């Protein structure tokens, strides 16, 4: 608080401001000298007016107090490091919450190898290009800023119980994001708000628990070049899932739970020219794969690089590439005539698999998750 005397209020004010400026100087604040210079310039002009208009001193007191006490955001929030200016490195710091007061100048944010369950930034960062969130425990990720019940953006401290805005009203906290890496987490669905990050080029979501992909989820990402979904629990793909991704060059769907692939999915990805990786899935080489085999064989005869589709079932075809089979080998059996009663399954350490299980003599099937 500034002291106030009856004899010379303005001089007392400036003296107090000077004391405050000296204190702030030791803290590295750079704006106090500008405030002092401004106050000294107006001292001569307003000292006589103070006696006639006392409220002038009060207004000056409030303005000067606000200017002097304001300070810039910390350059590097604890416990992060900022050895390279645009990079805010907070990896392996034991964080359970995202650091506050991230500078607008940050272009790369590394929050990998922490204890994060969710990630929320309370304001937009227009220069943020790359975000690494790998090796946390994130179950659901939204790129949308949070809003309160009145539709206003939530700033400052995170409020509990608020949900990200609807997809159609999403305001992204990283609108110019180009790389998002969330591998080795606990995601069960794609991040929310992808439609608000049209500049995204690399999306890394491997080693999660994603089981379904909805048509249209990726359509706005017309600049996407790499999509990594290996080691998830994806069981099927919509035929039009990737048709709008004209820039896609790498699509990794290896080690999922895919059993078949629609020919239209193959055609759309072949036309785009993407490098598609499908090994390690549970391909069921029966009559439903005949059409795909024909297209693979046709492209292979033209010298085009063929996809690796290695059969997992039936057991008579297990381990053989689809192109090694003749069309007559791809037969379908009714459930009562299915020749095999077991499947050999390889589970990688730290991964999960989703199996179709049924008891002998019971026609009902259940989906069993094994960790």
């Amino acid at each position: 608080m500034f002291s106030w005397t009856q004899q010379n209020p303005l001089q007392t004010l400036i003296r107090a401001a000077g004391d405050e400026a000296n204190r702030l100087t030791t803290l590295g604040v750079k704006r106090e000298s500008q405030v002092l210079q401004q106050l000294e310039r107006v001292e001569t002009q307003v000292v006589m007016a103070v006696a006639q208009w006392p409220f002038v001193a009060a207004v000056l007191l409030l303005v000067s107090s606000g200017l002097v006490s304001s300070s810039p955001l910390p350059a590097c929030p604890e416990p992060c490091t900022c050895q390279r200016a645009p990079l805010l490195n907070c990896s392996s710091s034991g964080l359970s919450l995202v650091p506050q007061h991230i500078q607008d100048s940050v272009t790369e944010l590394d929050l990998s190898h922490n204890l994060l369950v969710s990630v929320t930034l309370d304001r937009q960062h227009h220069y943020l290009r790359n975000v690494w969130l790998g090796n946390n425990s994130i179950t659901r990720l939204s790129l949308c800023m949070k809003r309160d019940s009145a539709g206003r953006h939530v700033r400052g401290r995170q409020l509990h119980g608020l949900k990200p805005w609807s997809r159609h009203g999403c305001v992204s906290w990283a609108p110019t994001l180009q790389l998002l890496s969330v591998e080795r987490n606990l995601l069960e669905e794609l991040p929310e708000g992808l439609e608000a990050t049209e500049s995204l080029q690399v999306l890394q979501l491997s080693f999660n628990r994603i089981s379904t992909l909805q048509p249209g989820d990726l359509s706005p990402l017309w600049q996407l070049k790499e999509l990594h979904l290996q080691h998830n629990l994806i069981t099927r793909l919509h035929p039009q899932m990737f048709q709008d991704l004209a820039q896609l060059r790498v699509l990794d769907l290896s080690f999922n739970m895919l059993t078949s692939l629609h020919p239209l999915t193959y055609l759309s990805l072949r036309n785009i020219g993407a490098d598609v990786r499908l090994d390690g899935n549970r391909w069921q080489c029966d009559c439903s794969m005949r059409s795909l085999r024909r297209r693979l064989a046709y492209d292979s005869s033209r010298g085009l690089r063929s996809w690796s589709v290695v059969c997992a079932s039936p057991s008579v075809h297990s381990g053989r590439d689809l192109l090694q089979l003749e069309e007559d080998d791809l037969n379908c059996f009714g459930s009562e005539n299915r020749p095999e009663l077991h499947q050999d399954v390889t589970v990688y350490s730290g991964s999960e698999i989703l199996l179709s299980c049924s008891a002998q003599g019971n026609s009902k099937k259940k989906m069993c998750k094994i960790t």
Side-chain angles (χ1 to χ4, degrees):
M1 294 292 294
F2 290 115
S3 61
W4 183 266
T5 64
Q6 295 287 341
Q7 298 165 344
N8 201 332
L10 184 58
Q11 290 181 351
T12 301
L13 170 63
I14 294 176
R15 188 181 304 110
D19 295 339
E20 182 70 6
N22 291 333
R23 186 185 69 81
L24 292 175
T25 301
T26 63
L27 299 177
V29 177
K30 299 180 179 179
R31 298 181 60 187
E32 70 283 353
S33 60
Q34 300 174 359
V35 176
L36 285 178
Q37 292 174 3
Q38 181 181 0
L39 293 178
E40 290 172 355
R41 283 198 301 269
V42 300
E43 177 185 7
T44 306
Q45 301 176 16
V46 300
V47 67
M48 299 301 298
V50 172
Q52 299 179 8
W53 299 288
F55 69 90
V56 174
V59 171
L60 185 58
L61 173 63
L62 293 175
V63 172
S64 62
S65 176
L67 289 173
V68 173
S69 61
S70 62
S71 59
L73 296 177
C76 193
E78 294 288 343
C80 308
T81 59
C82 305
Q83 296 178 353
R84 188 160 58 90
L87 170 64
L88 180 57
N89 186 0
C90 305
S91 64
S92 303
S93 300
L95 294 175
S96 57
L97 294 174
V98 178
Q100 298 297 315
H101 309 306
I102 297 175
Q103 290 278 0
D104 290 334
S105 59
V106 171
T107 62
E108 301 178 66
L109 176 61
D110 190 347
L111 291 167
S112 61
H113 296 274
N114 280 293
L115 306 174
L116 299 173
V117 176
S118 63
V119 174
T120 301
L121 275 69
D122 58 7
R123 60 192 180 91
Q124 284 188 308
H125 294 266
H126 291 280
Y127 298 103
L128 193 56
R129 300 290 187 268
N130 303 326
V131 175
W132 290 276
L133 301 171
N135 290 274
N136 281 281
S137 300
I138 301 171
T139 57
R140 187 170 179 271
L141 176 62
S142 177
L143 300 175
C144 305
M145 292 172 56
K146 289 195 174 183
R147 293 189 179 184
D148 58 17
S149 58
R152 298 168 301 197
H153 297 304
V154 177
R155 293 182 175 272
R157 193 170 182 177
Q158 179 177 337
L159 300 181
H160 297 286
L162 295 179
K163 295 183 178 180
W165 202 239
S166 67
R167 287 181 176 269
H168 299 292
C170 174
V171 177
S172 175
W173 45 261
T176 59
L177 192 65
Q178 295 181 359
L179 180 148
L180 177 61
S181 180
V182 204
E183 79 278 7
R184 297 185 184 277
N185 277 276
L186 304 175
L187 291 177
E188 296 185 358
E189 59 183 12
L190 295 179
E192 184 180 23
L194 288 175
E195 74 278 4
T197 55
E198 295 181 353
S199 58
L200 194 65
Q201 297 181 17
V202 178
L203 182 56
Q204 169 61 270
L205 299 172
S206 60
F207 290 94
N208 277 281
R209 300 178 179 180
I210 300 171
S211 59
T212 58
L213 301 176
Q214 298 298 327
D217 284 348
L218 300 173
S219 297
L221 303 180
W222 59 275
Q223 296 190 57
L224 191 66
K225 296 180 180 179
E226 296 185 22
L227 177 57
H228 298 270
L229 288 165
Q230 64 268 32
H231 292 277
N232 275 281
L233 303 174
I234 301 170
T235 57
R236 63 178 181 172
L237 300 172
H238 190 276
Q240 299 175 332
M241 188 72 215
F242 308 108
Q243 68 176 7
D244 297 322
L245 305 181
Q247 302 296 322
L248 192 64
R249 293 297 173 263
V250 175
L251 173 61
D252 197 338
L253 289 164
S254 57
F255 296 97
N256 276 277
M257 299 302 297
L258 295 170
T259 59
S260 63
L261 190 68
H262 197 283
L264 290 180
T265 305
Y266 174 79
L267 285 177
S268 64
L269 290 170
R270 174 62 79 191
N271 291 336
I272 291 172
D275 176 15
V276 181
R277 302 161 190 175
L278 298 170
D279 49 300
N281 279 278
R282 307 301 300 167
W283 300 114
Q284 185 173 324
C285 294
D286 57 15
C287 58
S288 65
M289 298 287 274
R290 287 177 180 174
S291 180
L292 177 62
R293 186 202 171 279
R294 290 192 203 108
R295 299 185 182 279
L296 287 171
Y298 175 71
D299 286 343
S300 179
S301 68
R302 296 166 57 203
L304 298 178
R305 180 180 177 183
S306 60
W307 297 359
S308 175
V309 179
V310 179
C311 303
S313 64
S315 56
V316 66
H317 299 324
S318 180
R320 299 180 64 185
D321 193 283
L322 181 61
L323 283 177
Q324 295 176 349
L325 302 176
E326 298 297 331
E327 190 165 323
D328 292 341
D329 296 329
L330 302 175
N331 299 310
C332 287
F333 299 92
S335 57
E336 66 279 2
N337 297 321
R338 192 169 295 276
E340 71 280 355
L341 295 176
H342 74 278
Q343 292 183 5
D344 295 325
V345 179
T346 301
V347 183
Y348 289 82
S349 176
S351 301
E352 294 181 346
I353 60 172
L354 196 64
L355 298 178
S356 176
C357 307
S358 62
Q360 191 169 1
N362 184 0
S363 60
K364 277 192 168 183
K365 288 188 176 182
K366 296 180 180 180
M367 300 307 290
C368 307
K369 183 184 287 186
I370 300 176
T371 303

